[in-house]
Amino acid sequence: MANRFEMNEALKSRLLGAENAEQAEDILKEAGQTVTAEDIAHLWDEISSYRKDKELSLDELESVSGGADRDWLTDGCAASVEPKSWCNSNDSCIWWDVTYDHEPANIHCPNCGAFMYVNWVDYDPNPSNDTYHYKCKNCGTEKSY
């Protein structure tokens, strides 16, 4: 099942601090995301699994605080699956356990159909007004939302 919302490092960090599923849902809605009960259930399972009886290592702390584990452009996907699918529960990837420079996006290039990556983001004080700039790894086409 694909994740239906955009997740950046700041949002991941806030979600890791959520005390329950309802608080995680509030955080996503405050960030301008539209979520379903199914999305929240999957996300809370991922958060719980990630935190369950686990002390964060220095690498994991760096990952949550904004460091990247790999560059999608040069290293590819850590799980060899499509962007935005779920991590821990089915060995796919929503960038929870792995963080990326040039993170893959669930946006297809209008020219060649390949997945695009987040090239850069114009952050707005209101997160729902952030503008994401995507670029195609294969043909270089750029697209913004």
Side-chain angles (χ1 to χ4, degrees):
M1 148 149 250
N3 177 6
R4 294 186 175 95
F5 40 85
E6 292 294 322
M7 184 149 345
N8 60 35
E9 293 303 317
L11 185 56
K12 281 187 216 179
S13 181
R14 290 186 61 210
L15 288 169
L16 277 175
E19 295 179 16
N20 54 46
E22 293 78 21
Q23 191 174 42
E25 181 177 14
D26 290 343
I27 290 168
L28 288 170
K29 286 181 179 178
E30 181 181 303
Q33 305 292 330
T34 302
V35 295
T36 66
E38 186 178 7
D39 289 331
I40 294 302
H42 279 285
L43 180 63
W44 189 248
D45 285 346
E46 294 294 329
I47 291 170
S48 299
S49 175
Y50 187 78
R51 297 195 293 193
K52 189 176 191 175
D53 299 324
K54 185 175 182 179
E55 192 170 316
L56 296 178
S57 70
L58 291 176
D59 289 339
E60 290 166 323
L61 285 171
E62 179 182 332
S63 171
V64 172
S65 67
D69 295 322
R70 56 191 296 140
D71 187 331
W72 185 72
L73 282 179
T74 57
D75 302 330
C77 181
S80 303
V81 296
E82 71 280 355
K84 305 291 272 194
S85 55
W86 292 96
C87 274
N88 196 13
S89 59
N90 67 0
D91 192 32
S92 34
C93 185
I94 67 164
W95 319 308
W96 195 262
D97 291 329
V98 178
T99 56
Y100 294 95
D101 283 329
H102 304 108
E103 67 187 45
N106 196 21
I107 307 265
H108 292 275
C109 175
N111 290 332
C112 70
F115 284 114
M116 300 181 88
Y117 65 89
V118 178
N119 196 23
W120 54 285
V121 180
D122 283 326
Y123 291 104
D124 188 88
N126 179 352
S128 63
N129 293 332
D130 290 350
T131 301
Y132 286 77
H133 301 272
Y134 302 96
K135 190 169 184 176
C136 180
K137 180 179 179 177
N138 291 343
C139 70
T141 297
E142 296 183 12
K143 194 173 183 179
S144 299
Y145 292 103

